[in-house]
Amino acid sequence: MVSNTHPGTTSSALTRLNVNTARLLGTPAAGYAHLLGLAPEHLNDDLCRPPSLTSIRIAELATVHAPWTEVGRVMTLQSGIGSLGVWDYLFTSAPTPLEGLRDASAYLATVVDTATDTVRISEDDGQVTISHINQADLSHEAACAVRAGALGLFQQRLTEAARRPLVPVRVTLVAEAPARHDPLIELYGTRSIEFEAPVSSITFRTTDLNAPSPHAQPGLSGVLRRHAEQTLATAVPLRNWLDLFRAALTSLHDEGALTLSAAAQRMAVSTRTLQRRLDEHDSTWSDEVETVRREHITRLLHSTDLSIDAIAARSDYADARALRRAVQRWYHTTPAALRRTGRPHGGARTGRGDVPAEPGPGARR
């Protein structure tokens, strides 16, 4: 069952795809480089999920420099297999392209914001139709580009799963008919494209999607589904300044540079401004540092066999006694009991968005 869909965010992989598309179309980076989630440490971290609005704004700027039909085409062509992570391989690992399509649809949240973009699969009269649901106005060119690119992406992944070209029976788009739509004919390989439709969709013959996938591997689909769940469970949503700060703080802790001055430098503000921003978010530097250390300790207890003394040494505590006092304060239990049960008891504050304070093995916050 899919959980932790992180509304309001998309994968960093999808954001990178939008950035690459904009760059190829000659969109000046000055128009979007400042947007939330585009700092290199966030954009290049596959656990981070930048705001959906960041990708939307990049697409809007791209459509200023190229027709939406071309933006959609380039977006699809830039998304080679693997560029969108585990989601891509859900298609190619399943016994048939249709089964891969169903798996990928179930885990669409690993890539997009399913609060605004969803997919519906229907079968009727020997045909399979993939509908991309997006509520934006049909005249919104950025949304038109995204719809066109999304359908092209499904076609591309199904073709990769089948290992042969799959030409759609028809394509429908929620978009006003453009003066020219040659890029879309090139993209889909068909002239059967209907505009101003109620829903954007792409339809294939059922027999094409039910043929065995040449490179399917027994059991791999289940492994990838579990990996997709883990990807969502360990994601770091970046919806606002506090999310960005906490992601930076975690990185600094991992680098052994957890100081106020280092955090201020990473956030490109003065130490005084950093403390003021934390106050505006009802937090303090000491609270945030303690939360990072608490989560680090919890991870070590759950995912390693290190002794309590070793964990204390790795967590900037004077000794095991100091660590035990901290764990008792956070969780009202002992480190040994916390390790044994695999989950904390008591009322430790999470302070970290959708995910609980007790991340599983290997989780990063």
Side-chain angles (χ1 to χ4, degrees):
M1 181 178 179
V2 181
S3 56
N4 295 304
T5 57
H6 307 297
T9 68
T10 65
S11 71
S12 57
L14 183 62
T15 308
R16 289 195 297 269
L17 173 59
N18 278 282
V19 169
N20 291 338
T21 299
R23 185 182 298 122
L24 284 172
L25 293 170
T27 308
Y32 57 82
H34 64 285
L35 295 174
L36 204 63
L38 293 191
E41 63 267 26
H42 302 138
L43 188 62
N44 298 320
D45 186 340
D46 286 336
L47 289 182
C48 288
R49 289 183 64 95
S52 307
L53 290 175
T54 292
S55 285
I56 291 171
R57 182 56 182 156
I58 295 170
E60 288 174 341
L61 292 170
T63 56
V64 171
H65 293 269
W68 67 263
T69 53
E70 180 65 9
V71 175
R73 186 187 73 88
V74 172
M75 190 182 299
T76 301
L77 296 181
Q78 285 301 299
S79 57
I81 187 75
S83 63
L84 296 178
V86 65
W87 188 77
D88 288 343
Y89 298 108
L90 288 168
F91 282 95
T92 57
S93 65
T96 67
L98 182 56
E99 291 178 70
L101 170 63
R102 289 178 179 136
D103 280 348
S105 176
Y107 290 96
L108 189 65
T110 60
V111 180
V112 306
D113 178 5
T114 52
T116 59
D117 290 79
T118 57
V119 168
R120 184 174 66 241
I121 301 168
S122 58
E123 298 180 54
D124 183 55
D125 196 25
Q127 297 180 345
V128 176
T129 297
I130 308 163
S131 300
H132 175 241
I133 315 300
N134 179 292
Q135 301 302 322
D137 188 86
L138 62 82
S139 63
H140 185 202
E141 292 200 351
C144 294
V146 168
R147 293 177 187 123
L151 297 184
L153 182 58
F154 276 100
Q155 179 183 9
Q156 185 185 74
R157 292 297 179 267
L158 289 169
T159 290
E160 288 158 351
R163 292 285 173 160
R164 61 186 179 84
L166 295 181
V167 178
V169 175
R170 63 182 172 278
V171 175
T172 68
L173 287 168
V174 180
E176 294 176 346
R180 296 176 59 86
H181 59 279
D182 294 352
L184 299 183
I185 295 173
E186 178 184 343
L187 176 60
Y188 303 126
T190 181
R191 293 181 176 276
S192 182
I193 304 172
E194 175 190 342
F195 296 96
E196 299 183 33
V199 66
S200 296
S201 68
I202 187 166
T203 300
F204 298 94
R205 296 178 185 84
T206 304
T207 52
D208 286 340
L209 300 192
N210 269 332
S213 296
H215 295 279
Q217 300 181 46
L220 182 57
S221 290
V223 173
L224 291 174
R225 287 193 295 269
R226 290 192 292 275
H227 181 60
E229 288 279 3
Q230 183 70 3
T231 296
L232 288 167
T234 58
V236 182
L238 306 176
R239 298 188 183 91
N240 52 41
W241 181 88
L242 189 60
D243 285 340
L244 289 176
F245 168 76
R246 286 171 170 169
L249 205 62
T250 299
S251 295
L252 289 170
H253 180 275
D254 294 345
E255 295 164 11
L258 192 57
T259 66
L260 178 62
S261 59
Q265 184 176 11
R266 184 67 59 89
M267 298 299 292
V269 296
S270 68
T271 56
R272 181 172 295 184
T273 297
L274 178 59
Q275 290 174 312
R276 187 175 67 250
R277 294 295 299 273
L278 287 172
D279 183 61
E280 291 170 356
H281 287 84
D282 296 319
S283 189
T284 67
W285 169 254
S286 60
D287 284 345
E288 295 296 330
V289 168
E290 182 170 29
T291 298
V292 168
R293 287 177 175 159
R294 186 197 73 220
E295 293 174 347
H296 174 68
I297 289 165
T298 305
R299 287 198 300 274
L300 292 179
L301 286 170
H302 288 169
S303 62
T304 75
D305 295 323
L306 291 171
S307 68
I308 304 304
D309 287 306
I311 291 176
R314 293 189 180 198
S315 308
D316 297 326
Y317 280 88
D319 51 33
R321 289 181 61 190
L323 176 60
R324 289 189 182 96
R325 286 196 296 270
V327 171
Q328 181 65 39
R329 184 174 69 254
W330 297 330
Y331 299 130
H332 308 299
T333 190
T334 66
L338 181 60
R339 169 173 275 169
R340 188 168 55 250
T341 61
R343 60 187 178 86
H345 299 283
R349 80 174 173 88
T350 62
R352 297 286 175 160
D354 326 73
V355 288
E358 63 279 21
R364 176 178 165 200
R365 307 294 287 276

